Short mmCIF file of all heavy atoms in Angstrom, two decimals:
data_model
loop_
_atom_site.label_atom_id
_atom_site.label_comp_id
_atom_site.label_asym_id
_atom_site.label_seq_id
_atom_site.Cartn_x
_atom_site.Cartn_y
_atom_site.Cartn_z
N SER A 38 21.04 -37.80 3.70
CA SER A 38 21.55 -37.09 2.52
C SER A 38 20.40 -36.70 1.60
O SER A 38 20.40 -35.61 1.02
CB SER A 38 22.56 -37.97 1.76
OG SER A 38 23.69 -38.22 2.56
N PHE A 39 19.42 -37.57 1.47
CA PHE A 39 18.24 -37.28 0.65
C PHE A 39 17.49 -36.08 1.22
O PHE A 39 17.10 -35.16 0.48
CB PHE A 39 17.34 -38.51 0.59
CG PHE A 39 16.08 -38.30 -0.19
CD1 PHE A 39 16.11 -38.17 -1.57
CD2 PHE A 39 14.85 -38.25 0.45
CE1 PHE A 39 14.94 -37.97 -2.30
CE2 PHE A 39 13.68 -38.06 -0.26
CZ PHE A 39 13.72 -37.92 -1.64
N VAL A 40 17.30 -36.07 2.54
CA VAL A 40 16.62 -34.94 3.19
C VAL A 40 17.41 -33.65 2.99
O VAL A 40 16.84 -32.58 2.75
CB VAL A 40 16.42 -35.23 4.70
CG1 VAL A 40 15.84 -34.01 5.41
CG2 VAL A 40 15.53 -36.44 4.90
N GLN A 41 18.73 -33.75 3.09
CA GLN A 41 19.58 -32.57 2.93
C GLN A 41 19.40 -31.94 1.56
O GLN A 41 19.29 -30.71 1.44
CB GLN A 41 21.04 -32.97 3.14
CG GLN A 41 22.01 -31.81 3.04
CD GLN A 41 23.45 -32.26 3.19
OE1 GLN A 41 23.72 -33.45 3.33
NE2 GLN A 41 24.36 -31.33 3.16
N PHE A 42 19.35 -32.74 0.52
CA PHE A 42 19.18 -32.20 -0.82
C PHE A 42 17.77 -31.66 -1.04
O PHE A 42 17.58 -30.70 -1.81
CB PHE A 42 19.53 -33.26 -1.87
CG PHE A 42 21.01 -33.39 -2.09
CD1 PHE A 42 21.73 -34.43 -1.54
CD2 PHE A 42 21.70 -32.44 -2.83
CE1 PHE A 42 23.10 -34.54 -1.72
CE2 PHE A 42 23.08 -32.53 -3.02
CZ PHE A 42 23.77 -33.59 -2.48
N LEU A 43 16.78 -32.23 -0.36
CA LEU A 43 15.45 -31.65 -0.42
C LEU A 43 15.44 -30.25 0.19
O LEU A 43 14.83 -29.32 -0.36
CB LEU A 43 14.45 -32.55 0.33
CG LEU A 43 14.05 -33.87 -0.33
CD1 LEU A 43 13.09 -34.63 0.57
CD2 LEU A 43 13.40 -33.62 -1.69
N LEU A 44 16.12 -30.08 1.31
CA LEU A 44 16.19 -28.76 1.95
C LEU A 44 16.97 -27.78 1.08
O LEU A 44 16.62 -26.60 1.00
CB LEU A 44 16.85 -28.89 3.32
CG LEU A 44 16.03 -29.62 4.38
CD1 LEU A 44 16.87 -29.90 5.62
CD2 LEU A 44 14.80 -28.81 4.76
N MET A 45 18.03 -28.27 0.44
CA MET A 45 18.79 -27.42 -0.47
C MET A 45 17.91 -26.95 -1.62
O MET A 45 17.94 -25.78 -2.03
CB MET A 45 20.00 -28.19 -1.01
CG MET A 45 20.90 -27.37 -1.93
SD MET A 45 21.71 -26.02 -1.05
CE MET A 45 22.70 -25.31 -2.37
N GLY A 46 17.08 -27.84 -2.15
CA GLY A 46 16.17 -27.46 -3.22
C GLY A 46 15.16 -26.42 -2.76
O GLY A 46 14.85 -25.47 -3.49
N LYS A 47 14.65 -26.57 -1.53
CA LYS A 47 13.71 -25.58 -0.98
C LYS A 47 14.38 -24.22 -0.86
O LYS A 47 13.79 -23.18 -1.18
CB LYS A 47 13.21 -26.05 0.38
CG LYS A 47 12.22 -25.10 1.03
CD LYS A 47 11.77 -25.63 2.38
CE LYS A 47 10.70 -24.72 3.00
NZ LYS A 47 11.15 -23.34 3.18
N PHE A 48 15.64 -24.22 -0.42
CA PHE A 48 16.38 -22.96 -0.28
C PHE A 48 16.52 -22.26 -1.63
O PHE A 48 16.28 -21.06 -1.76
CB PHE A 48 17.76 -23.26 0.32
CG PHE A 48 18.74 -22.12 0.25
CD1 PHE A 48 18.39 -20.86 0.69
CD2 PHE A 48 20.02 -22.32 -0.25
CE1 PHE A 48 19.30 -19.80 0.65
CE2 PHE A 48 20.93 -21.28 -0.30
CZ PHE A 48 20.56 -20.02 0.14
N LEU A 49 16.86 -23.01 -2.66
CA LEU A 49 17.06 -22.42 -3.98
C LEU A 49 15.75 -21.95 -4.59
O LEU A 49 15.72 -21.04 -5.41
CB LEU A 49 17.73 -23.43 -4.91
CG LEU A 49 19.16 -23.83 -4.53
CD1 LEU A 49 19.69 -24.90 -5.45
CD2 LEU A 49 20.09 -22.61 -4.55
N GLN A 50 14.63 -22.54 -4.18
CA GLN A 50 13.33 -22.16 -4.69
C GLN A 50 12.80 -20.89 -4.04
O GLN A 50 11.84 -20.29 -4.53
CB GLN A 50 12.31 -23.28 -4.48
CG GLN A 50 12.41 -24.41 -5.51
CD GLN A 50 11.33 -25.45 -5.30
OE1 GLN A 50 10.89 -25.69 -4.18
NE2 GLN A 50 10.88 -26.07 -6.38
N ASP A 51 13.41 -20.47 -2.94
CA ASP A 51 12.89 -19.33 -2.19
C ASP A 51 13.01 -18.01 -2.94
O ASP A 51 12.40 -17.02 -2.56
CB ASP A 51 13.61 -19.21 -0.84
CG ASP A 51 13.05 -20.20 0.17
OD1 ASP A 51 11.98 -20.76 -0.11
OD2 ASP A 51 13.68 -20.41 1.21
N GLY A 52 13.83 -17.97 -3.97
CA GLY A 52 13.93 -16.73 -4.75
C GLY A 52 15.35 -16.28 -4.94
O GLY A 52 16.30 -16.93 -4.51
N ASN A 53 15.52 -15.16 -5.61
CA ASN A 53 16.84 -14.66 -5.98
C ASN A 53 17.52 -13.84 -4.88
O ASN A 53 18.70 -13.55 -4.97
CB ASN A 53 16.73 -13.80 -7.25
CG ASN A 53 16.26 -14.61 -8.44
OD1 ASN A 53 16.62 -15.76 -8.57
ND2 ASN A 53 15.44 -14.00 -9.28
N THR A 54 16.78 -13.46 -3.85
CA THR A 54 17.36 -12.59 -2.84
C THR A 54 18.06 -13.36 -1.73
O THR A 54 18.94 -12.83 -1.07
CB THR A 54 16.27 -11.70 -2.21
OG1 THR A 54 15.25 -12.55 -1.66
CG2 THR A 54 15.65 -10.79 -3.26
N PHE A 55 17.67 -14.63 -1.52
CA PHE A 55 18.27 -15.45 -0.48
C PHE A 55 18.31 -14.72 0.87
O PHE A 55 19.37 -14.42 1.40
CB PHE A 55 19.68 -15.88 -0.88
CG PHE A 55 19.73 -16.66 -2.16
CD1 PHE A 55 20.40 -16.18 -3.26
CD2 PHE A 55 19.10 -17.89 -2.26
CE1 PHE A 55 20.44 -16.90 -4.44
CE2 PHE A 55 19.13 -18.62 -3.44
CZ PHE A 55 19.81 -18.12 -4.54
N ALA A 56 17.12 -14.43 1.37
CA ALA A 56 17.01 -13.61 2.58
C ALA A 56 17.79 -14.19 3.76
O ALA A 56 18.31 -13.45 4.60
CB ALA A 56 15.54 -13.47 2.97
N GLY A 57 17.91 -15.51 3.82
CA GLY A 57 18.56 -16.13 4.96
C GLY A 57 20.06 -15.92 5.04
O GLY A 57 20.67 -16.27 6.05
N ILE A 58 20.66 -15.35 3.99
CA ILE A 58 22.12 -15.17 4.01
C ILE A 58 22.53 -13.70 4.02
O ILE A 58 23.72 -13.39 3.91
CB ILE A 58 22.78 -15.88 2.81
CG1 ILE A 58 22.41 -15.20 1.49
CG2 ILE A 58 22.41 -17.35 2.77
CD1 ILE A 58 23.16 -15.75 0.29
N GLN A 59 21.57 -12.80 4.18
CA GLN A 59 21.90 -11.37 4.16
C GLN A 59 22.83 -10.97 5.30
O GLN A 59 23.65 -10.07 5.17
CB GLN A 59 20.61 -10.54 4.22
CG GLN A 59 19.70 -10.71 3.00
CD GLN A 59 20.42 -10.46 1.70
OE1 GLN A 59 21.10 -9.44 1.55
NE2 GLN A 59 20.29 -11.38 0.75
N GLY A 60 22.73 -11.66 6.42
CA GLY A 60 23.59 -11.34 7.56
C GLY A 60 25.04 -11.71 7.34
O GLY A 60 25.92 -11.30 8.12
N TYR A 61 25.30 -12.46 6.26
CA TYR A 61 26.67 -12.86 5.94
C TYR A 61 27.16 -12.21 4.65
O TYR A 61 28.08 -12.69 4.00
CB TYR A 61 26.74 -14.38 5.79
CG TYR A 61 26.19 -15.14 6.97
CD1 TYR A 61 25.05 -15.94 6.83
CD2 TYR A 61 26.78 -15.04 8.23
CE1 TYR A 61 24.54 -16.63 7.91
CE2 TYR A 61 26.26 -15.72 9.31
CZ TYR A 61 25.14 -16.51 9.16
OH TYR A 61 24.63 -17.19 10.24
N GLY A 62 26.55 -11.10 4.27
CA GLY A 62 26.98 -10.39 3.08
C GLY A 62 26.07 -10.56 1.89
O GLY A 62 26.15 -9.80 0.92
N GLY A 63 25.23 -11.61 1.90
CA GLY A 63 24.24 -11.79 0.84
C GLY A 63 24.76 -12.43 -0.43
O GLY A 63 24.01 -12.55 -1.41
N ASN A 64 26.02 -12.86 -0.46
CA ASN A 64 26.58 -13.48 -1.66
C ASN A 64 26.50 -15.00 -1.54
O ASN A 64 27.08 -15.58 -0.63
CB ASN A 64 28.04 -13.02 -1.85
CG ASN A 64 28.63 -13.52 -3.15
OD1 ASN A 64 28.96 -14.69 -3.27
ND2 ASN A 64 28.78 -12.63 -4.12
N ILE A 65 25.78 -15.63 -2.48
CA ILE A 65 25.54 -17.06 -2.38
C ILE A 65 26.84 -17.87 -2.52
O ILE A 65 27.03 -18.90 -1.87
CB ILE A 65 24.51 -17.52 -3.45
CG1 ILE A 65 24.18 -19.02 -3.30
CG2 ILE A 65 25.00 -17.21 -4.85
CD1 ILE A 65 23.56 -19.39 -2.02
N ILE A 66 27.77 -17.41 -3.36
CA ILE A 66 29.01 -18.16 -3.57
C ILE A 66 29.87 -18.13 -2.31
O ILE A 66 30.41 -19.15 -1.88
CB ILE A 66 29.80 -17.60 -4.77
CG1 ILE A 66 28.98 -17.77 -6.06
CG2 ILE A 66 31.14 -18.31 -4.92
CD1 ILE A 66 29.65 -17.21 -7.30
N SER A 67 30.00 -16.96 -1.70
CA SER A 67 30.80 -16.87 -0.47
C SER A 67 30.14 -17.63 0.66
O SER A 67 30.81 -18.21 1.52
CB SER A 67 31.02 -15.40 -0.08
OG SER A 67 29.78 -14.77 0.21
N PHE A 68 28.80 -17.66 0.67
CA PHE A 68 28.07 -18.41 1.69
C PHE A 68 28.40 -19.90 1.58
O PHE A 68 28.74 -20.55 2.57
CB PHE A 68 26.56 -18.18 1.51
CG PHE A 68 25.70 -18.96 2.47
CD1 PHE A 68 25.43 -18.45 3.74
CD2 PHE A 68 25.16 -20.19 2.11
CE1 PHE A 68 24.64 -19.18 4.63
CE2 PHE A 68 24.37 -20.91 3.00
CZ PHE A 68 24.11 -20.40 4.26
N LEU A 69 28.31 -20.43 0.36
CA LEU A 69 28.59 -21.85 0.15
C LEU A 69 30.07 -22.18 0.32
O LEU A 69 30.43 -23.23 0.85
CB LEU A 69 28.12 -22.28 -1.25
CG LEU A 69 26.60 -22.23 -1.47
CD1 LEU A 69 26.28 -22.54 -2.94
CD2 LEU A 69 25.87 -23.20 -0.56
#
Side-chain angles (χ1 to χ4, degrees):
S38 296
F39 178 70
V40 174
Q41 182 182 2
F42 280 102
L43 287 179
L44 291 170
M45 182 66 178
K47 181 180 184 302
F48 168 50
L49 295 176
Q50 281 183 329
D51 281 347
N53 297 324
T54 57
F55 301 117
I58 68 173
Q59 296 306 311
Y61 307 115
N64 186 285
I65 183 63
I66 297 178
S67 62
F68 178 85
L69 293 175

